[in-house]
Amino acid sequence: MQQKQNPNRLSVLTLAILSTMAAAPSFADDDADAAAAEKRDNSTEVLEVTARRVAERIQDVPVAVTAISEQKLGDMGAQTIADIERIVPNLTINASRATNSTITAYLRGVGQNDPLWGYEPGVGVYIDDVYMARPQGGVLDLLDIQRVEVLRGPQGTLYGKNTIGGAIKYITRELPDYTRGYVEAAVGAYNQRDVKFGFSTPVVDDKFYVGVSGAKLNRDGFGEVVGDSPYAGDDMSDKDITAGRINLTWKPTENLSVKLVADDIQDDSNARGGQRLTVSGSSAGYPTVYQPLDDRYDSRQNLDPDRTEVNTSGQALTITWDISDDWQFKSVTAKRKGDTLSDIDFDQLNRPTFDVLAVYEDEQKSQEFQLTHAGEKLDFVSGIYLFDGDACGAFLNVLAHAGISQETSGCVNTKSQSIYAQGSYKLSDRWSLTLGGRSDKDEKDADVRLRRFLGLDDSGTVLFDGGFSGDETFNEFSPHIGADFKINSDMMVYASYSHGFKSGGFNMRGNILVDPDAGKPFDPETVDTLELGLKGSWFDNRLTGYFALFTQDYQDKQVTVGTTVGITPVQRVLNAADATADGFELEMNAKLTDALSLNIVYGYLDAQYDKFIAAVTPGGVETDIADTAQFINAPEQQYSVGLSYDMDLSFGQLLLAADYAYRDDTYIFETPTAVDQKAYSLYNASAVLYLDESNWRIALHGRNLGDEAYRTGGYNFPGNTFDNTVTGFYGDPKTWTLSAQYSF
């Protein structure tokens, strides 16, 4: 079976509690990159992670990290990276509102809810060692995966900007020195039809290896266009993805490795359907009043749901040189790009009263040089990181009831330079001290254009043409200090301080004609975290776990604030909020018998705003709503309980598993709205059969078996100005999948 591990953070008066916790939580256990004949591993093998940029046993890492192995992901029936949400404490991860694959990720209450170009994420997503700068295409399907690591808390020292909430690392398979491969086919609810394959082989023994993998993933929609729409009968929220990956690895000597990896993902899924939660408004041009539909995935929309696509691709060249037994040099040269076409029918009605036609484009290049040392007393990692990225986009907002349309467009170029180092020194056999720091320089160059037209497209009379250009440089230093103490060979306690920042920028919706200050930049957000954690194993490794307490100081949060210029209302992005969050996290894996295992994951978060400026009056008087403002995507409690039972059969091994996942009330916006989600629970179950001597794995997975309706995002525009639009977007309904995989 698998165990997971995560360290976490520090809140004072916790040391006493930690020292008495002899039954804390656990980690991951099985790294299923074995040989061709795969039988399910039910041992307590320890997973290695790269949370500190070098390979370490997860039990030895004084960092809040959860690692989920390939085998665990397969046994739980995970299909995308978003499926890990239920087994990682204080994590929210899902597709952004009205999208299928744009990621919204929050850790410990820190993230980013607006995927607009120019706004930075709060949780970094990595494919191997390569940072994905934009959220479009970030809800990755699990293909050619070795494990997923989730690092919680600021990771500024080793990972840089935009990891103030944490980082999610999607780590792909390394090529083994033998021929291996697999083919997998799956069918399921809503006419699911998936095919995946992977193959790798040495072309020249011990020198040159080739690996290829691919997937074609299809599913009918959860809903459809209904009513008097011209697209009635078309699917909403379907799936149509084609993905491929190639890995070329050359090892000219025992000490040198050159790896070239390229991936490409094409997502042609139809638009995601949302449910109106309110009766539509009416106007002279559109007098019909619509009631909300019963099905949460159906839509009356007037836009073509098939005019949606996301294409992402990337290439990475990694050169690793083992200089000696103690020293290693690594170079990672990477490029990624993405193109997105996304039409959003905000009002979900067959009339153009609130439609947005949007395109996004991004391209990034990065270079990292890394030098690591592993000694008897001192381990350290150091590096230089360079990044150059362009994020562009345009959207046309059609407001038919007002007879106008408005175009927002622009680009942001970001150039980043970083230098970092972190070292751990063994003061004794039990005590270790860790010190690190990173210096970041972030240069932003933004162009913003805002035009309003008389009419429903950009061919009408231009009512105004406003925009601006701006540039700014942000400098930040991110330190880390930590200490860990090995109580014995199986148990460790640690304490740490970490700092991280999310880069500043410009208001990409600013209108300088109305607001002369629209071109002023906003500053970075910062988070400082203290954490105290305990991890270890007990009772001959039958109980493993991790426990942590943390407190974080969240400063200069970027907030869209309403203000006025003269008598004209405008919106600016200001560093208008400060907050404090205290929390507790636990992961535990217990082998109750040789066959029966219990997994418990628990996250608690008490996040409170100390300041939240929501508006500024013409006289400069600030409206502070700190007492009522709520943290987005930060339920106070979330937990899951899972049981798994392994049975040895005469012809193979059978795993039976079930889990229950609970999430507290979740706010979608900082102030209460009808879109907010009340507490809910999900039930999931799996049966996985590994056949002896035949290399077959057959699995049946059921997800959301209670068919719980739960919102993951939404839009809130009540009143007739925007056709009384309040729309919710929902997680997947009850589904099942039957798959068969043959490995060779």
Side-chain angles (χ1 to χ4, degrees), residues 110 120-124 131 153-157 159-166 414-418 438-444 473-479 498-505 523-528 553-556 558:
V110 181
E120 305 281 11
V123 174
Y131 170 61
Q155 305 297 321
T157 303
Y159 292 89
K161 65 172 186 175
N162 305 338
T163 57
I164 57 173
T414 301
K415 290 182 172 64
S416 300
Q417 304 93 38
S418 306
R438 185 186 191 106
S439 177
D440 282 281
K441 181 181 180 181
D442 214 30
E443 300 174 286
K444 295 286 185 74
T473 299
F474 306 100
N475 296 286
E476 194 77 20
F477 180 73
S478 301
S498 301
H499 173 87
F501 80 102
K502 183 168 80 171
S503 186
D523 291 330
E525 297 180 1
T526 63
V527 172
D528 293 278
D553 184 19
Y554 193 1
Q555 295 290 315
D556 295 324
Q558 298 155 6

Side-chain angles (χ1 to χ4, degrees), residues 76 86-87 640-643 657-661 682-686:
M76 66 183 284
R86 70 182 194 257
I87 58 170
S640 66
V641 179
L643 282 171
D659 66 80
Y660 165 84
L682 300 178
Y683 303 87
N684 309 278
S686 297

Side-chain angles (χ1 to χ4, degrees), residues 205-390:
D205 287 346
D206 301 323
K207 294 294 184 182
F208 188 66
Y209 308 83
V210 175
V212 294
S213 58
K216 180 63 177 173
L217 311 174
N218 291 90
R219 189 202 65 232
D220 292 346
F222 295 142
E224 63 181 13
V225 183
V226 300
D228 53 359
S229 168
Y231 303 103
D234 286 6
D235 273 359
M236 300 289 294
S237 308
D238 71 347
K239 190 168 189 175
D240 183 359
I241 292 177
T242 305
R245 180 181 178 87
I246 185 168
N247 180 333
L248 306 176
T249 299
W250 177 43
K251 297 181 179 179
T253 70
E254 289 184 358
N255 299 328
L256 184 63
S257 172
V258 180
K259 180 174 70 172
L260 176 63
V261 175
D263 67 80
D264 188 90
I265 304 170
Q266 181 170 331
D267 185 352
D268 292 319
S269 307
N270 281 8
R272 185 178 172 199
Q275 183 184 39
R276 281 191 64 98
L277 305 179
T278 52
V279 177
S280 67
S282 61
S283 63
Y286 299 95
T288 303
V289 175
Y290 290 98
Q291 300 291 328
L293 295 170
D294 293 333
D295 193 302
R296 61 187 183 270
Y297 303 105
D298 284 349
S299 173
R300 297 186 178 97
Q301 71 176 52
N302 63 288
L303 297 180
D304 183 356
D306 192 40
R307 217 182 79 92
T308 299
E309 62 181 56
V310 181
N311 300 315
T312 60
S313 62
Q315 304 84 42
L317 177 67
T318 302
I319 302 173
T320 305
W321 176 29
D322 293 325
I323 303 170
S324 67
D325 290 341
D326 298 336
W327 292 90
Q328 184 187 81
F329 172 80
K330 180 187 286 188
S331 168
V332 182
T333 307
K335 180 179 180 180
R336 294 201 66 82
K337 66 178 299 184
D339 299 284
T340 299
L341 178 64
S342 177
D343 293 349
I344 304 173
D345 193 320
F346 277 63
D347 54 60
Q348 300 285 308
L349 299 175
N350 182 29
R351 58 197 194 195
T353 53
F354 196 4
D355 296 343
V356 169
L357 316 177
V359 294
Y360 298 84
E361 296 179 355
D362 62 87
E363 186 169 358
Q364 66 176 70
K365 293 174 286 186
S366 62
Q367 174 65 58
E368 184 166 13
F369 299 108
Q370 190 181 94
L371 182 66
T372 60
H373 175 265
E376 191 171 321
K377 287 284 189 180
L378 176 65
D379 296 338
F380 78 83
V381 57
S382 59
I384 297 171
Y385 180 75
L386 306 173
F387 175 90
D388 187 351
D390 290 298

Side-chain angles (χ1 to χ4, degrees), residues 686-717:
S686 297
V688 185
L689 177 64
Y690 291 79
L691 295 176
D692 287 344
E693 310 302 331
S694 65
N695 304 337
W696 281 95
R697 184 190 73 182
I698 301 171
L700 177 63
H701 303 287
R703 293 173 294 274
N704 189 11
L705 295 176
D707 199 27
E708 182 75 23
Y710 61 99
R711 287 185 289 274
T712 59
Y715 295 112
N716 185 59
F717 298 96

Side-chain angles (χ1 to χ4, degrees), residues 26 48 81 255 359 580 648 686 702:
S26 152
E48 280 194 340
I81 201 169
N255 299 328
V359 294
T580 303
D648 288 323
S686 297

Side-chain angles (χ1 to χ4, degrees), residues 82-105:
D83 290 327
I84 67 174
E85 180 186 71
R86 70 182 194 257
I87 58 170
V88 179
N90 287 325
L91 169 67
T92 296
I93 178 172
N94 50 57
S96 299
R97 56 200 179 193
T99 76
N100 294 300
S101 58
T102 297
I103 193 170
T104 293

